[in-house]
Amino acid sequence: MEGILLALVPMITWGSIGFATNKIGGTAKQQTLGMTFGAFVFALIIFLVRQPTMTFSIFLIGFIGGIMWSVGTSGQFHALKYMGVSVAAPLSAGGQLVLGSLVGVFAFHEWTLPIQFALGFVAMLALVIGFYFSAKRDPQNQLVAVERHFTKGIIALIYSTIGYVAYVVLYNNLSALWFNVHFDTLTIIFPMSIGMILGAFLMAGGKIKIEAVVFKNMFVGAMWGVGNIFMLLAAAMAGNAIAFSFSQLGVIISTIGGILFLGEKKTKRELAYISIGTSLFVIGAILLAVVKTQAS
């Protein structure tokens, strides 16, 4: 029970990042940089307190992963601007689940039992249908049709999803399989945070206005760091599957927060679409977590 309670923290913190940074304001480039600054300060404090063993291999993998993460975050923040938090957040979470699972199945053979393929297929189907309903618009909502740019948002989500999944695969699979490098989250977040800052500048083409809003977004980076710590604690007490599935439930907070706190206009029909899509994402995430618990 305690592990499940710990898993609620990353669900809340990570689920709140999308609407929190949009509430703070700034361009997507400023939001990404501000978040990376906050993550760096948080990671530096953890590094100084914990003083972990840092090898060149761990630093390099963490640094490269941080650059990949910044690609994912920059794309996600752009998508939030183009599509709105209540639409982009579930699409982003669902995209990461689908692509991450497919890479795990075909590249690393993580599913070996018939029950895993059966549940995995149902989970994928739920996620794909969830995609459809989360992105579905009501033609009567003329305000959204004018203000949003869904094509640009989808493009941003594509490279965002690739960036996020790439860093997860690097940390969870390739670091051990290819480079024989092993580490824990509290060790890797410091070099990762350095790569995140460089990646944020690279994604912005070096053109970011350093204004007060950048430093205000450091708070979001601290939220990300806290979520990482509690994800690690939850995984240790309740298992990776529980911690993972609960973190995906943060999409509910993102969706509700976008509508309630950012004033994103939705018709009753669109609210129904989003409710269906978000529910299917949650079902898909939980089913994928169950798949991971099946012994191979």
Side-chain angles (χ1 to χ4, degrees):
M1 182 62 182
E2 186 176 351
I4 294 177
L5 292 176
L6 291 173
L8 293 176
V9 177
M11 181 190 85
I12 294 171
T13 54
W14 290 349
S16 302
I17 284 175
F19 72 82
T21 190
N22 275 272
K23 192 68 174 178
I24 292 171
T27 65
K29 296 176 182 179
Q30 291 175 320
Q31 291 170 338
T32 304
L33 183 62
M35 184 175 178
T36 59
F37 281 165
F40 172 75
V41 172
F42 182 90
L44 179 61
I45 293 173
I46 295 297
F47 180 80
L48 294 175
V49 171
R50 193 164 181 264
Q51 297 185 3
T53 301
M54 183 65 64
T55 66
F56 176 75
S57 297
I58 292 177
F59 182 89
L60 183 60
I61 288 176
F63 180 78
I64 294 173
I67 294 177
M68 294 175 176
W69 178 93
S70 66
V71 172
T73 299
S74 176
Q76 187 179 67
F77 284 171
H78 276 90
L80 295 176
K81 295 285 189 183
Y82 291 138
M83 308 173 77
V85 175
S86 58
V87 173
L91 288 178
S92 178
Q96 293 172 54
L97 284 169
V98 170
L99 182 58
S101 297
L102 291 176
V103 171
V105 172
F106 293 107
F108 302 105
H109 310 290
E110 293 180 354
W111 298 357
T112 57
L113 301 176
I115 185 65
Q116 291 179 306
F117 285 97
L119 291 176
F121 174 78
V122 174
M124 293 289 185
L125 183 61
L127 290 170
V128 170
I129 298 175
F131 273 130
Y132 171 77
F133 279 103
S134 294
K136 190 174 177 59
R137 290 175 289 172
D138 183 356
Q140 301 301 317
N141 195 343
Q142 296 300 321
L143 178 62
V144 172
V146 172
E147 293 182 346
R148 303 304 185 193
H149 305 280
F150 279 80
T151 301
K152 291 182 179 180
I154 291 297
I155 293 172
L157 281 178
I158 289 174
Y159 69 79
S160 169
T161 302
I162 293 173
Y164 276 139
V165 172
Y167 102 84
V168 171
V169 169
L170 174 64
Y171 287 175
N172 292 346
N173 304 101
L174 300 184
S175 60
L177 291 175
W178 287 7
F179 308 107
N180 195 30
V181 176
H182 303 272
F183 50 83
D184 59 54
T185 302
L186 295 182
T187 300
I188 204 69
I189 60 172
F190 177 63
M192 180 182 178
S193 67
I194 298 175
M196 289 161 62
I197 293 177
L198 176 61
F201 277 107
L202 291 176
M203 290 301 295
K207 299 178 181 178
I208 304 178
K209 291 184 178 180
I210 306 299
E211 299 173 323
V213 71
V214 172
F215 300 102
K216 290 179 181 179
N217 273 289
M218 289 177 66
F219 171 73
V220 182
M223 291 170 59
W224 173 83
V226 171
N228 263 325
I229 297 296
F230 278 87
M231 172 66 89
L232 179 67
L233 295 173
M237 297 191 67
N240 286 322
I242 295 296
F244 171 79
S245 62
F246 269 79
S247 71
Q248 301 307 310
L249 298 182
V251 69
I252 300 174
I253 296 176
S254 300
T255 302
I256 295 176
I259 296 172
L260 295 182
F261 299 111
L262 300 180
E264 296 181 356
K265 304 298 183 182
K266 302 293 178 184
T267 65
K268 290 183 178 180
R269 184 176 296 177
E270 285 177 332
L271 289 174
Y273 292 156
I274 290 175
S275 298
I276 294 172
T278 303
S279 299
L280 288 170
F281 279 137
V282 172
I283 292 171
I286 293 175
L287 285 176
L288 287 177
V290 172
V291 169
K292 289 178 178 289
T293 64
Q294 303 300 309
S296 59

